[in-house]
Amino acid sequence: MADATGSVNEEHLISELQARADPAGRPVIILIAGAETNGSPSCRALVLTKQGLAGTDTRFVPRRSELYSRNTGILETSVLADKNVVIVGLGSGGSPVALELARSGVGHFMLIDFDRLELGNISRHVCGISDLGRFKTHAVRDQILQKNPFADVKTMEVNVNQALSQVEEAVGASDLLICASDNDQSRFNLNQMSLNNKVVALYGRAITRAAGGDVLRVRPWKGPCYNCVF
């Protein structure tokens, strides 16, 4: 549709598209992008049907710069974008934590869990019916990318207690370990990994039937560790 100079004849473009308008009556949206005299991007949108042509309001939204614009002055999103967080356990505790970190601007995730979503999980989980049968890691990864499409999200579908070296390698490359697993043995193993690699760890759990719970932060070699307390 462009001439030898690269310019677009808008009238010709519109007439060509109007001749091809959907016979079922569905509208065709035409975006005409270009640059203004100051070099800034410009865009016009037209909605084309068999009945005629109508204009719509448009504006460019810078993808990265506005993603966390509402957090400016509250969270250091520019710093968090380079941080790497390992989350072990993507159930009703770990999954909302993952989403809140994504909303805050954390840019790199390693999600570790070998369970799949079951019907009984849905009422308390960030994922829904459409995710039934999927690995929790994969379902939560998709939720993170809905909040931050630029996030780097890796997953491991392994049992921590049976893949110690693989998990410890991930912990060693992280800035923060979050343990939301549902058994003591995994927490004890993760505690040792955080100490070995001097990675700060957060442990959270709810006791059966919500009778109670606890949250513990461990700063390796600067206070008691998880095993010391429990």
Side-chain angles (χ1 to χ4, degrees):
M1 293 295 183
D3 60 22
T5 66
S7 300
V8 174
N9 185 322
E10 291 186 16
E11 291 184 4
H12 179 63
L13 170 64
I14 292 168
S15 63
E16 283 283 322
L17 290 173
Q18 195 158 19
R20 305 177 199 172
D22 191 332
R26 290 173 294 192
V28 175
I29 299 175
I30 308 168
L31 293 177
I32 303 175
E36 298 178 357
T37 53
N38 61 2
S40 300
S42 67
C43 182
R44 292 195 301 121
L46 304 172
V47 179
L48 177 66
T49 67
K50 283 291 187 182
Q51 288 70 43
L53 191 68
T56 64
D57 292 330
T58 62
R59 76 182 182 99
F60 273 100
V61 179
R63 294 164 66 193
R64 282 184 179 270
S65 63
E66 289 200 18
L67 188 59
Y68 295 106
S69 60
R70 297 295 180 93
N71 292 348
T72 302
I74 301 174
L75 298 168
E76 295 294 341
T77 54
S78 60
V79 174
L80 294 175
D82 295 327
K83 298 302 180 182
N84 187 348
V85 178
V86 171
I87 304 176
V88 180
L90 277 301
S92 57
S95 61
V97 169
L99 280 197
E100 290 304 321
L101 291 175
R103 290 187 178 107
S104 300
V106 171
H108 302 270
F109 295 85
M110 171 61 81
L111 309 179
I112 303 176
D113 198 318
F114 65 94
D115 280 339
R116 294 178 183 268
L117 274 164
E118 299 177 1
L119 190 58
N121 302 137
I122 298 302
S123 63
R124 298 188 301 165
H125 205 274
V126 299
C127 300
I129 294 291
S130 61
D131 293 305
L132 285 175
R134 300 182 67 198
F135 281 114
K136 292 178 180 178
T137 50
H138 294 177
V140 174
R141 175 188 61 196
D142 291 350
Q143 292 292 321
I144 289 173
L145 294 175
Q146 285 291 314
K147 297 299 179 184
N148 180 6
F150 305 105
D152 171 36
V153 186
K154 297 181 174 63
T155 70
M156 290 171 54
E157 292 70 46
V158 299
N159 184 327
V160 169
N161 301 322
Q162 298 173 6
L164 296 176
S165 60
Q166 189 178 354
V167 174
E168 181 157 7
E169 182 179 354
V171 171
S174 71
D175 299 291
L176 176 67
L177 167 63
I178 294 178
C179 178
S181 60
D182 60 0
N183 65 87
D184 288 333
Q185 188 59 53
S186 63
R187 289 194 278 273
F188 296 148
N189 284 328
L190 290 166
N191 175 77
Q192 191 59 52
M193 294 176 194
S194 76
L195 296 178
N196 293 345
N197 295 278
K198 297 182 180 179
V199 173
V200 174
L202 294 174
Y203 300 83
R205 65 175 178 172
I207 299 173
T208 304
R209 298 295 180 189
D214 48 62
V215 176
L216 176 69
R217 179 184 67 166
V218 172
R219 296 177 297 167
W221 314 113
K222 294 182 180 179
C225 68
Y226 187 88
N227 293 15
C228 298
V229 175
F230 294 102

